[in-house]
Amino acid sequence: MTELSALATPAHSGTRLDRFLSEEIETLSRSRAKTLVKEGAVRQSAKGVEAVQDDPRAGVVAGVTYIVAMPQAVAAIPEPEDIPLDVLFED
């Protein structure tokens, strides 16, 4: 599991958490950031105290570091399907 972090500055204060994360971490889209926040994969750290952040609408606080625990990518394995086909022409 990879952890990415972003430090909120006074300019970010009050910005939605999902928007802030998508702007500061290039590999995250806003919808992916929102999903990760709802799943509890985002924590905030300030003055040595960490807390899980689970509301994507929460306002960002200046001076707080937000840490995103990125889950490992799961390889997509295509599954075969038994589809009845009518052969119209065969060489």
Side-chain angles (χ1 to χ4, degrees), residues 35-77:
T35 301
L36 288 170
V37 171
K38 286 184 174 182
E39 290 176 351
V42 177
R43 2 184 257 284
Q44 62 184 33
S45 176
K47 300 178 184 173
V49 178
E50 286 192 5
V52 173
Q53 186 60 266
D54 62 357
D55 183 8
R57 298 174 298 163
V60 171
V61 179
V64 174
T65 300
Y66 293 89
I67 304 160
V68 181
M70 296 294 291
Q72 291 291 341
V74 178
I77 302 172

Side-chain angles (χ1 to χ4, degrees), residues 6-18:
L7 175 63
T9 63
H12 297 117
S13 189
T15 304
R16 281 179 57 120
L17 180 57
D18 56 351

